[in-house]
Amino acid sequence: MSPSRRLHTATLLPSGNVMIAGGSNKSISLSSCELYDPLSNRWSTAASISSSRYEHTATLLLSGSVMIAGGSNKSISLSSCELYDHLSNRWSTAASISSPRYEHTATLLPSGNVMIAGGSNKSISLSSCELYDPLSDKWSTAGNMSSLRRLHTAALLSSGKVLVTGAYDELSSLSSCELYDPLSNKWNTAASMSLPRYEHTTTLLSSGKVLVTGGRNALGLLSSCELYDPLSKT
């Protein structure tokens, strides 16, 4: 890629290409975007986002557009959102989230709406969540999680519910987990992990279970992994 970057997003487009957006190069926030073509094994320049950002989210919508939400620009938390049309290679402005945030999660729900959960606003962790409706280009409240969370993960389960695991709040790493039900628009407590962790990964397996891997906590980096079974709640 050109330039080098970290804390960016990578999104698989309907065309089969991968779009890299934003990120950070040392102390510089980036607005540049790039496209990777796996058939030619080459990178090309894509249109730049209007606001440079890192630690944002990128979500492929059912329409094929990509929505960039929030992020950070040096010491500034962002509420702005942008939409990328891969057919025209153009960005357009989307409605802003009500609370600026970065280090959050974004999950595409079966309805086509996108749920933003938690994150950080400068040094303050958030429990608030918001729903984006691409058809109306509007945000609405998705209720608050019971815990402040940033650097957590969110996985869409086979049931259509969203499992949020771990995080770092204002004081420590968390082992607690929560479930969001889009039908009731409410959060409920899920079984906790055996170890607190943040900066980990979660993957939905074909069995319907969720694999949690690695991360870190007060003891340092983790090599441990855990399985969440939605049927047994363990």
Side-chain angles (χ1 to χ4, degrees):
M1 296 182 296
S2 177
S4 56
R5 64 184 80 208
R6 67 185 185 96
L7 302 175
H8 52 283
T9 57
T11 308
L12 180 63
L13 302 177
S15 63
N17 292 346
V18 178
M19 185 189 68
I20 301 296
S24 174
N25 184 328
K26 296 181 179 180
S27 60
I28 301 173
S29 300
L30 301 175
S31 62
S32 62
C33 302
E34 302 182 56
L35 288 171
Y36 174 72
D37 184 345
L39 297 180
S40 63
N41 191 30
R42 291 181 179 178
W43 289 91
S44 60
T45 301
S48 295
I49 45 181
S50 61
S51 297
S52 59
R53 65 185 77 207
Y54 58 92
E55 292 185 310
H56 52 285
T57 56
T59 307
L60 180 67
L61 305 179
L62 296 183
S63 64
S65 296
V66 178
M67 185 186 71
I68 296 288
S72 178
N73 185 335
K74 295 182 179 179
S75 61
I76 301 173
S77 303
L78 302 176
S79 62
S80 61
C81 301
E82 304 185 44
L83 289 169
Y84 177 73
D85 183 344
H86 72 281
L87 296 178
S88 63
N89 187 33
R90 291 182 179 179
W91 289 91
S92 59
T93 301
S96 295
I97 45 181
S98 62
S99 297
R101 65 186 75 207
Y102 61 97
E103 296 176 343
H104 54 285
T105 57
T107 307
L108 180 67
L109 302 177
S111 63
N113 292 347
V114 179
M115 186 193 67
I116 299 292
S120 178
N121 186 338
K122 295 183 178 179
S123 60
I124 302 173
S125 298
L126 303 172
S127 63
S128 62
C129 305
E130 303 185 46
L131 282 173
Y132 176 72
D133 184 346
L135 298 180
S136 63
D137 187 34
K138 292 182 179 180
W139 290 90
S140 60
T141 301
N144 289 355
M145 297 180 288
S146 61
S147 298
L148 303 172
R149 298 180 189 270
R150 60 187 174 100
L151 300 171
H152 53 289
T153 63
L156 180 66
L157 304 181
S158 304
S159 64
K161 295 181 180 180
V162 179
L163 173 70
V164 166
T165 66
Y168 188 85
D169 61 9
E170 295 302 289
L171 300 174
S172 61
S173 49
L174 304 178
S175 62
S176 64
C177 303
E178 303 187 45
L179 280 170
Y180 174 73
D181 185 347
L183 297 180
S184 64
N185 194 32
K186 293 182 179 180
W187 289 90
N188 295 294
T189 301
S192 295
M193 299 180 291
S194 60
L195 288 176
R197 64 182 79 212
Y198 62 98
E199 293 183 343
H200 53 289
T201 64
T202 53
T203 306
L204 179 66
L205 305 179
S206 57
S207 63
K209 296 180 180 180
V210 177
L211 176 66
V212 176
T213 64
R216 65 192 306 172
N217 60 24
L219 300 178
L221 299 179
L222 301 173
S223 61
S224 62
C225 305
E226 305 187 42
L227 277 175
Y228 174 78
D229 186 344
L231 299 181
S232 67
K233 308 292 180 66
T234 59

